[in-house]
Structure formats: structure tokens, C-alpha cells
Amino acid sequence: MEITETQVVYIIRERLPDFPVRNSIIWNNSPGALLTLPTFTDSLRFMPFQLENMNAQTRSNYTAVIYVQIGAPLNPNNALYKLVKTITKSQFIDKIIILWATDRPVPSRKRWPPTYHIPFHVICLDNSDHKKPSIFQGPVDVIDTADSHVAEIIKNNHQQKGNAHSSNSQIFANGETTDERLSISQRFFPFNEIETDAVLSLDEDAILNTDEVDFAFTVWRDFPDRIVGYPARAHFWDDSKNAWGYTSKWTNYYSIVLTGAAFYHRYYNYLYTNWISLLLLKTVQQSSNCEDILMNFLVSHVTRKAPIKVTQRKGYKDRETSRSPWNDPDHFIQRQSCLNTFATVFGYMPLVRSNMRLDPILYRDPVSNLRKKYRQIELVGS
């Protein structure tokens, strides 16, 4: 097997004092040492792609991370309010985290639905000083990052990458990795508050019931190295444009599962922040789009496997406001452009097609509803 220059650099670094050393098993088994970062953990038990080899399982709970970009007024009829209530009823939920990335002020504690014993954190990603919230007492915990702390950590992480990404450093001659605009990539930051193996990534206007969430989580536990979720998209080669195309049309296959309603392993947050090329992160930041496509590229690159779609979903979002960025006509064009930029930087197309969909046992079977474990799933969509 041919050894690349990057591998040589890491092999040399691991022979220096005070640098974590990885054994031959890691180097010689997929996905290899370059994607098994020793700075994340000293145990292979927390690497999603090593669990099968170790005959181990993930922990039996998850952290829900809801990214709020619109910030519609919060009330019992609001999609975000309903979503928090739904997640609270899940039997596997460990913690709920709200990533507040809008210029609207964070709603007061009394406006949020009760979460009872479930920890509830609001992390403010907005840098507007006049909108800093107060620290809530009780089940709601607000963490203010208005001092750009998250962005600074991301910048420092990339500056520590060394020669492995020196070509990317040349692209940004001034060493700048962020601008004043908040990057949507921060939804994939490895926050310390995420302590579970599983992350349920949600958009604020996702419409899911508790059965759908719990079923998707049970599926993910069987495939912890993949993205498992509901909304699916596909890529294809467009001969007329000599470029990759992106489609949201219903086809017989898919290659992307959007992270607006999906489970994945928290290690991918760490890889997204610390391993992905700065050029790719800059592309996402400038377009304020495509972070979900980039996460699919990353996971498929690591696993060489397709994501997994669960049940049939013809709609998973509530278009409750005209301010939604997904209603922008340029949104789809940007995603087409991102797809080709990502493939160019990766050097190939890592996305893998699949036509498999996993449904609960007895789903839509003409039997008594009392026999079905996930009874609510049939009631949503068509």
C-alpha cells in the first residue's frame, strides 16, 4: 500500500515525545489513523467505526441539539415549542441543547415548555451584545458565547493542524479562518455539553413525533458509524453540465440524509471541526448553507458507506415563517455549487447511493394498532 506524504508526517510526529501514539491495528484497519484522532479519546470504545470490531455497543441515550436560525416567537403553537415537548417525552433522551443562532433575544424561561428532570441548555451563538440573555436558574441553562469563544476555539484548532493542511493555510494568507458573520458550521461544534455517543441533530421547524425519534435512535444503535434520519436527498452526474447535480425529487435511491432530522455519532462533530479543510468550512460560511451536505461527505468519506433513511417522510418541516432561509430561491443553486466544490476538494465523490429504507415491524400492516410498537409513525405523512 502506498504511503502518502500526510501519513509520513503523522508517522514522524508519533515518534516525538509527548505526542499520542496509535498502534498498528489503528493504522492498518479502516478508516486508518489519519481519521482516528488521538486527541478525541484514548479509547477505541468511543470511535463509531471500531464498535463492531470490539463487539461493543453505544450508550443507550442521546443528546438532542436543535439549531435555531429563524427564532419565530415562542408559544405552544410554535414548531420549536412542540419539538421540545416531543423530545422531552422520548424514553432515550439524556439532554436537550438549543443552539440560538438568531439575532432575536432568547425567550424567557417561562416561555419554554417544561422539561422536568431532563437537562435543558440554551447556547447563544449570536454576538450582539445588547441581546445577551440572563442566566436562567433551574432546568434551563443559558450559556453565552457572545464573545466569539466558539469561533476562537475553531480557529485555534485549525492553527494546530500543522503541515497536514499547510495548503489550506496558504489560501488564507492572513491566517483568518472566520469573518464577522456567524458560521452555520457551529451547529456541528463538539460542545462539552454533548456527553452521549449519539447526537440527534434537528432544525427548529422539524416536525417529528416521539415514536419517530425513538425508532430512528434504535436503528442508529445498529449503525452507529452512519447518519440515520428522515429527509433524504440524492446526487447524480449531469452530462449536460459536466458536473455533479443535486436533487430533492423522490427517486429510487438517495445518498444524503439531511441533518435537519438525523442521528449521528458525536465523534463526527470533532472531525468536522478539527479535520475538515479550512476551504470547505469557508465555503459553508460564505454561503450560510450546505453544512449538512458537508457532514454527509465527511461521514461517507470515513465509512465508505451510505447513510440510512428511516420510514417514509414527504414533509418534515413547518414553513411557519416567510423568513425561512430554505424559501430563498438561491438556496438550491448554492447547494449544487457546494456539491461540486466539496467533490473537488475531497478529490473524489465520497457520497454512496442506497435504495434501502428501514421501517418498524408491522408498519402499515393491516393488523390491530395495539400490536405495533411505534403506533404514531403511521399517523404522520402519507
Side-chain angles (χ1 to χ4, degrees), residues 109-139:
R109 174 185 174 183
K110 64 182 180 181
R111 290 187 174 275
W112 293 97
T115 58
Y116 308 105
H117 66 284
I118 300 170
F120 184 83
H121 300 268
V122 179
I123 300 179
C124 300
L125 303 179
D126 181 32
N127 57 7
S128 301
D129 291 339
H130 65 283
K131 290 186 173 61
K132 291 182 181 178
S134 302
I135 300 297
F136 293 146
Q137 301 298 324

Side-chain angles (χ1 to χ4, degrees), residues 206-261:
I207 303 176
L208 296 173
N209 60 43
T210 306
D211 275 1
E212 291 174 301
V213 172
D214 285 352
F215 172 68
F217 177 66
T218 59
V219 171
W220 177 85
R221 292 198 71 198
D222 289 331
F223 305 93
D225 56 340
R226 307 203 211 180
I227 298 176
V228 176
Y230 288 95
R233 300 290 185 265
H235 78 288
F236 62 94
W237 180 255
D238 190 339
D239 285 324
S240 63
K241 298 180 180 178
N242 196 32
W244 293 105
Y246 171 89
T247 180
S248 59
K249 294 180 180 180
W250 287 75
T251 63
N252 291 328
Y253 70 91
Y254 63 90
S255 55
I256 297 170
V257 168
L258 303 184
T259 54

Side-chain angles (χ1 to χ4, degrees), residues 61-268:
N61 52 11
Y62 67 87
T63 301
V65 179
I66 305 174
Y67 188 75
V68 179
Q69 191 176 12
I70 304 169
L74 197 62
N75 59 66
N77 295 320
N78 171 266
L80 176 58
Y81 189 98
K82 294 177 181 178
L83 186 59
V84 173
K85 285 189 63 177
T86 294
I87 300 301
T88 302
K89 298 175 185 177
S90 172
Q91 60 180 310
F92 305 111
I93 183 64
D94 177 72
K95 185 182 300 180
I96 300 174
I97 297 176
I98 305 292
L99 299 183
W100 196 262
T102 176
D103 56 359
R104 293 175 180 265
V106 177
S108 61
R109 174 185 174 183
K110 64 182 180 181
R111 290 187 174 275
W112 293 97
T115 58
Y116 308 105
H117 66 284
I118 300 170
F120 184 83
H121 300 268
V122 179
I123 300 179
C124 300
L125 303 179
D126 181 32
N127 57 7
S128 301
D129 291 339
H130 65 283
K131 290 186 173 61
K132 291 182 181 178
S134 302
I135 300 297
F136 293 146
Q137 301 298 324
V140 180
D141 183 20
V142 176
I143 302 170
D144 191 2
T145 61
D147 58 354
S148 300
H149 174 65
V150 174
E152 185 63 27
I153 292 178
I154 293 176
K155 179 177 179 179
N156 291 338
N157 284 341
H158 284 293
Q159 288 177 342
Q160 295 172 5
K161 286 182 178 178
N163 295 331
H165 290 283
S166 59
S167 60
N168 296 327
S169 300
Q170 295 172 3
I171 295 173
F172 308 106
N174 296 328
E176 182 183 4
T177 59
T178 59
D179 55 28
E180 294 180 355
R181 178 169 46 187
L182 185 69
S183 175
I184 198 171
S185 286
Q186 290 188 12
R187 72 180 300 167
F188 298 136
F189 185 78
F191 293 99
N192 292 332
E193 288 74 21
I194 302 176
E195 300 173 315
T196 58
D197 296 328
V199 177
L200 171 58
S201 176
L202 294 164
D203 288 337
E204 65 194 282
D205 50 359
I207 303 176
L208 296 173
N209 60 43
T210 306
D211 275 1
E212 291 174 301
V213 172
D214 285 352
F215 172 68
F217 177 66
T218 59
V219 171
W220 177 85
R221 292 198 71 198
D222 289 331
F223 305 93
D225 56 340
R226 307 203 211 180
I227 298 176
V228 176
Y230 288 95
R233 300 290 185 265
H235 78 288
F236 62 94
W237 180 255
D238 190 339
D239 285 324
S240 63
K241 298 180 180 178
N242 196 32
W244 293 105
Y246 171 89
T247 180
S248 59
K249 294 180 180 180
W250 287 75
T251 63
N252 291 328
Y253 70 91
Y254 63 90
S255 55
I256 297 170
V257 168
L258 303 184
T259 54
F263 282 95
Y264 62 87
H265 198 284
R266 67 173 179 146
Y267 179 59
Y268 294 125

